[in-house]
Amino acid sequence: MIDNLPPVRGTLTLNRELAGLTWLRVGGPADVLFQPADADDLVGFLAKLDPGIPVFPMGVGSNLIVRDGGIRGVVIRLGRGFNDIEIDGNKVTAGAAALGAHVARKGAGAGLDLTFLRTIPGSIGGAVRMNAGCYGAYIADVFDSAQVVTRDGKLVTLSAKDLDFAYRQSTLPDGWVMIRATFVAPKGDPTKLAAMMDEQLAQRDATQPTKDRTAGSTFRNPAGFSSTGQADDVHTLKAWKVIEDAGLRGASLGGAQMNPKHPNFLTNTGNASAADLEKLGELVRKKVYESSGLRLIWEIMRVGETTPDKAKD
Ligand SMILES: Cc1cc2nc3c(=O)[nH]c(=O)nc-3n(C[C@H](O)[C@H](O)[C@H](O)COP(=O)(O)OP(=O)(O)OC[C@H]3O[C@@H](n4cnc5c(N)ncnc54)[C@H](O)[C@@H]3O)c2cc1C
């Protein structure tokens, strides 16, 4: 049990269930959920928090499996006070809690192309941390800088070099909380950008289970092979295809299923536990390895603790 928490102006909630804050709707409670009022509140809290207490920043939980035993320590979730969006020339600065979709729409209205963020359901903090991308564009292509509060409560500005972006990855240290990011966006015609976003939304709905409880792609697309002359980080091989080829489209375990519409979307069909989802994911990894020799890597972040009963095979 955590006591002696520093005083805050925002909200501290003990033993807060997290399932409802994630897209997959699974997982146990956080020891403490902190929703800071503003950046000063966050800085003051982290500066005074016992350094031994783990801190986990979450966005809107669209890329997370929170395990059934919940998360020990303090989970930080940014809300109002961190979702402003400002445009200055070709620069867009957005609070980490702003949704990528809102940033894309506001940018497009001002003739700036961040349209790839329109169909990714996460926050700006999550998008930068994950180097989110689709339709050939990634955060790394447009990233300028991010303001981050370190685990010991210092406000720092990070460049792309500091974050060392790679496919669906960056190197933000554990416990550091991003509060704002700035992007340099290519120019575009607002009407055309709006049409592009409509097209992308339609394409998503046609090919992906956008209304189901998922966390998007479960596994990263496997890297290509250098024997083809291509660099190892091209992802022409699709995770959904290798899962399909292993005969696992629609495979299920408990309430978890590899979605029949898109087999790389692990889905909570209604009553899945985090353990069901993780076990099915691991089973898929094992079977894909047996059938193709490929080792799938989780794209969904799995955090927190298992419960003894649900961890049993
Ligand atoms: C239907 C669907 C479609 C998707 N399609 C795509 C896609 O096309 N491309 C793609 O890249 N992703 C996709 N995703 C995955 C997901 O939307 C992205 O990874 C998104 O960027 C995660 O943002 P989030 O706010 O939900 O972060 P969360 O899932 O809450 O967290 C993800 C990671 O980001 C970290 N994080 C979040 N906020 C902060 C912060 N303020 N400071 C520090 N760290 C932070 C967390 O600690 C965690 O490590 C999809 C998901 C769904 C459900």
Side-chain angles (χ1 to χ4, degrees):
M1 189 65 213
I2 299 179
D3 47 19
N4 289 329
L5 288 166
V8 296
R9 285 178 287 110
T11 312
L12 285 169
T13 315
L14 301 186
N15 209 27
R16 170 66 156 85
E17 287 298 328
L18 295 175
L21 300 180
T22 71
W23 271 60
L24 277 166
R25 295 281 188 276
V26 294
D31 287 340
V32 178
L33 180 75
F34 176 37
Q35 295 162 286
D38 53 31
D40 284 346
D41 199 22
L42 176 61
V43 165
F45 176 81
L46 287 175
K48 291 194 197 104
L49 183 69
D50 176 344
I53 297 175
V55 165
F56 179 75
M58 72 179 286
V60 295
S62 65
N63 198 51
L64 288 183
I65 292 177
V66 174
R67 296 193 176 103
D68 300 304
I71 299 183
R72 301 293 72 80
V74 177
V75 171
I76 297 185
R77 194 168 193 268
L78 308 181
R80 275 197 303 273
F82 296 89
N83 59 8
D84 52 306
I85 305 168
E86 284 165 27
I87 295 179
D88 181 12
N90 64 347
K91 286 194 171 177
V92 179
T93 298
L99 291 178
H102 292 168
V103 176
R105 282 214 302 265
K106 191 152 178 185
L112 295 174
D113 186 355
L114 294 174
T115 49
F116 74 97
L117 287 172
R118 176 64 187 91
T119 59
I120 301 176
S123 66
I124 288 299
V128 174
R129 168 65 182 80
M130 297 304 300
N131 187 19
C134 60
Y135 304 119
Y138 294 85
I139 284 288
D141 302 332
V142 293
F143 182 83
D144 178 74
S145 59
Q147 274 195 306
V148 174
V149 183
T150 63
R151 170 60 186 84
D152 58 354
K154 294 193 179 67
L155 190 59
V156 296
T157 301
L158 301 183
S159 66
K161 198 160 163 262
D162 297 320
L163 287 169
D164 199 13
F165 291 114
Y167 174 60
R168 300 288 194 267
Q169 297 167 70
S170 70
T171 53
L172 190 68
D174 285 348
W176 291 27
V177 185
M178 190 179 313
I179 58 168
R180 184 177 295 127
T182 299
F183 308 102
V184 177
K187 291 204 164 65
D189 171 63
T191 313
K192 285 192 187 142
L193 295 176
M196 267 166 69
M197 292 191 291
D198 286 346
E199 238 170 70
Q200 290 174 357
L201 282 169
Q203 193 175 335
R204 283 269 181 182
D205 283 340
T207 57
Q208 295 180 1
T210 49
K211 308 277 182 289
D212 292 350
R213 291 178 181 179
T214 76
S217 295
T218 306
F219 302 108
R220 298 181 195 165
N221 288 321
F225 296 102
S226 47
S227 57
T228 62
Q230 294 172 314
D232 269 347
D233 59 354
V234 289
H235 300 275
T236 44
L237 208 53
K238 299 294 179 199
W240 73 262
K241 182 74 171 70
V242 299
I243 295 170
E244 166 102 327
D245 290 348
L248 296 166
R249 183 189 283 267
S252 64
L253 189 159
Q257 186 182 39
M258 301 315 290
N259 204 286
K261 190 168 178 181
H262 191 305
N264 193 26
F265 275 49
L266 183 57
T267 305
N268 176 358
T269 59
N271 60 354
S273 61
D276 290 344
L277 292 163
E278 202 170 357
K279 275 190 224 160
L280 179 59
E282 286 301 330
L283 194 68
V284 166
R285 289 185 70 232
K286 182 167 173 277
K287 291 202 167 168
V288 164
Y289 180 67
E290 284 165 5
S291 68
S292 68
L294 286 166
R295 290 187 194 279
L296 290 174
I297 297 172
W298 283 89
E299 179 170 326
I300 296 176
M301 317 269 306
R302 292 151 302 133
V303 292
E305 297 186 351
T306 52
T307 51
D309 54 335
K310 289 186 173 155
K312 271 191 265 163
D313 282 319

